[in-house]
Amino acid sequence: MQKQPPTGGNPWVAVRPGDDVAVLARRVSSAHQLFVDRSVPDTEQNAVRSVILDSWMRSTRKGVNPDGAARADHLAASELAEYRASHPMALIRPVVRKLLVEDAADTGLLVAITDEKGQLLWVEGDSSAKDRALDMNFVEGADWSEDTVGTNAPGTALALDHCVQIFGAEHFSRSVHEWSCSAAPVHDPATGLIVGAIDITGGPRVAVPEVLSLIRATVAAAEAELRLNLLRSPQPLVDTVTRLQVLGSGRPSLVREGRRTPLSQRHAEILLLLAEHPEGLSSDRLAVLLDESDLDSVTIRAEMSRLRKVFGTAGIGSRPYRLLADLVSDVQQVRSALDRGELAAALDIYSGPVLPGSDAPGVEDIRDELRARVQAALLREGDQRLLARWTTSVHGRADVAAWEAYLAGLDPRSPLYSQVKSRVDLFDQQYAT
């Protein structure tokens, strides 16, 4: 009979003293398979820690594919280098290199530094391990947030704001099951907000308590370095602008000082409309933009009262309704990237339509306008890589014009040409009937 995991002890530690690593690996792998097949935890066997089950459940709700991989960043090497150089985590990189990286050569270990969103800024250490890590896209610039990859040490540490270890098949993505990792978040000493994470990735020995202690000690040293920097330059390290996220199928939310607050669809609609109309909106005009027939001024006042409790009373003015606090939406970020000619960056942000479940007339107009702008930029640019990415996405796979532009740029002798042409021919048949 297999040994059951202990119910006590440190829940953040993956491999406890006395654990048989081979037995643990088989048990966790079986639990992962059962969970992925059934989308329910194996509660009867109590096979994995609660912190892992909770993360698996979050990964499932976010629609993470257990057979998927981390998204690669599409910034040019120079742009990534510029982003890293200006990021607060660059201040602590010398500390991390001194304490962790210098001794990682020929050990099979990797040391990674992420930003506050889970993007890998630096990946250093054993060269052969770096080569093997390419298979799971554990590379500089890749997105290893929990929302994208599912359960993993840096992404889950950021999601929970706590140090954590992930052992083998505790990772949600199957491509990471050969690896184990330990990570902890790093905080801005001035505000307490997360600025990034430090991670050690390698084999099973990375998941023992001593490595978690090493990570925590390194974070303590890194945060001490940030405090010294704060004495020299008393500026906050974290962007304090409130951000509105309304793109894609996920629940709309506000991100303020590194913390995410889910929004109801109605509140997201109102904030988006106010962000799009900085001059303000009367109660009657806002009602029309939300619903052409069924809303009255009393209903609008009630919704605004509830919204102020979420957004802040001082952040929304009246007569007309308008934003008094800075708010940046991901819709605006897509437009800004398009204005700069950074189409790849715009596609990174454009994860899906604007509030796809909304039928508010004002939101539908924004949705249609943004999609048309993205499509027009794609057709104008004619970049085959970006067209391929667009036409295989949820919001671009039925875009006939994009498929035709994609086909026009392909070599007729290539195998891909016939595949794309068959898709275009199928569209022709559908629209001819």
Side-chain angles (χ1 to χ4, degrees):
M1 183 175 179
Q2 288 188 354
K3 174 185 172 184
Q4 299 299 306
T7 56
N10 188 343
W12 309 103
V13 171
V15 179
R16 305 167 189 269
D19 278 349
D20 185 319
V21 174
V23 171
L24 179 62
R26 288 194 298 270
R27 183 173 65 231
V28 171
S29 180
S30 176
H32 180 273
Q33 186 63 49
L34 286 170
F35 181 88
V36 169
D37 288 345
R38 303 177 185 176
S39 293
V40 294
D42 185 15
T43 53
E44 292 183 2
Q45 293 185 22
N46 191 28
V48 295
R49 294 172 287 154
S50 61
V51 67
I52 300 301
L53 288 179
D54 291 343
S55 179
W56 286 357
M57 294 294 287
R58 288 194 301 273
S59 303
T60 300
R61 288 195 299 270
K62 291 288 185 179
V64 178
N65 181 358
D67 294 311
R71 286 198 302 260
D73 182 70
H74 294 282
L75 292 175
S78 59
E79 293 173 316
L80 178 60
E82 182 180 352
Y83 174 64
R84 295 189 305 189
S86 63
H87 196 276
M89 294 298 279
L91 297 170
I92 66 166
R93 189 182 175 211
V95 173
V96 176
R97 288 183 60 83
K98 181 69 175 179
L99 296 179
L100 299 179
V101 177
E102 289 182 1
D103 296 325
D106 303 320
T107 63
L109 301 179
L110 297 175
V111 177
I113 297 175
T114 82
D115 68 7
E116 69 280 6
K117 300 183 295 293
Q119 183 182 33
L120 299 183
L121 301 178
W122 291 277
V123 179
E124 301 179 276
D126 182 81
S127 57
S128 61
K130 287 186 71 173
D131 290 341
R132 289 194 300 115
L134 292 173
D135 293 338
M136 60 176 179
N137 205 28
F138 195 77
V139 295
E140 293 170 351
D143 178 3
W144 275 76
S145 64
E146 193 181 73
D147 286 356
T148 298
V149 189
T151 310
N152 73 93
T156 301
L158 291 170
L160 299 178
D161 193 8
H162 201 286
C163 62
V164 67
Q165 293 183 313
I166 310 295
F167 170 75
E170 289 180 338
H171 289 95
F172 193 73
S173 172
R174 288 190 177 95
S175 66
V176 198
H177 283 189
E178 295 181 8
W179 301 82
S180 295
C181 43
S182 296
V186 178
H187 300 85
D188 177 356
T191 64
L193 301 178
I194 297 174
V195 292
I198 300 171
D199 168 80
I200 298 179
T201 291
R205 62 194 176 99
V206 173
V208 299
E210 293 80 4
V211 176
L212 195 62
S213 297
L214 176 61
I215 282 286
R216 294 175 64 184
T218 303
V219 166
E223 291 178 347
E225 180 67 21
L226 291 179
R227 280 191 288 274
L228 289 174
N229 180 77
L230 186 62
L231 295 175
R232 295 189 294 265
S233 177
Q235 299 293 327
L237 298 174
V238 179
D239 183 4
T240 56
V241 174
T242 303
R243 302 188 182 278
L244 173 65
Q245 297 183 332
V246 293
L247 292 173
S249 59
R251 185 171 178 181
S253 60
L254 278 176
V255 179
R256 179 183 287 143
E257 296 183 343
R259 293 177 174 82
R260 187 181 306 275
T261 302
L263 294 172
S264 69
Q265 180 166 283
R266 180 62 85 199
H267 286 170
E269 290 169 343
I270 294 172
L271 284 175
L272 176 61
L273 291 170
L274 293 179
E276 293 286 302
H277 296 84
E279 72 283 5
L281 294 168
S282 68
S283 178
D284 290 342
R285 179 57 180 159
L286 182 56
V288 170
L289 292 175
L290 290 170
D291 190 317
E292 291 180 336
S293 58
D294 293 338
L295 292 182
D296 55 29
S297 59
V298 175
T299 302
I300 292 294
R301 285 198 298 271
E303 285 290 355
M304 296 303 295
S305 177
R306 287 189 284 266
L307 177 57
R308 284 189 172 99
K309 294 177 182 178
V310 177
F311 188 72
T313 303
I316 301 177
S318 300
R319 299 180 182 177
Y321 292 121
R322 63 200 184 280
L323 292 175
L324 302 178
D326 290 336
L327 179 67
V328 176
S329 71
D330 45 8
V331 172
Q332 293 169 318
Q333 290 178 305
V334 172
R335 291 198 192 109
S336 296
L338 292 174
D339 291 341
R340 296 192 305 269
E342 298 175 359
L343 183 52
L347 289 182
D348 282 342
I349 304 168
Y350 190 68
S351 57
V354 178
L355 292 174
S358 172
D359 56 5
V363 173
E364 289 180 337
D365 289 344
I366 298 168
R367 183 190 303 144
D368 293 343
E369 176 267 338
L370 189 66
R371 187 183 185 282
R373 280 201 63 181
V374 172
Q375 183 196 46
L378 280 163
L379 297 178
R380 183 174 60 251
E381 189 81 12
D383 186 307
Q384 291 294 291
R385 177 174 56 87
L386 297 181
L387 283 167
R389 183 176 164 194
W390 174 260
T391 51
T392 55
S393 67
V394 172
H395 38 279
R397 61 191 178 196
D399 188 337
V400 179
W403 278 102
E404 291 175 340
Y406 186 20
L407 179 66
L410 292 174
D411 185 342
R413 295 168 296 181
S414 71
L416 186 57
Y417 182 89
S418 60
Q419 298 176 30
V420 176
K421 188 176 187 305
S422 66
R423 187 61 180 265
V424 173
D425 291 342
L426 179 60
F427 284 131
D428 290 341
Q429 295 171 16
Q430 289 174 340
Y431 290 117
T433 55

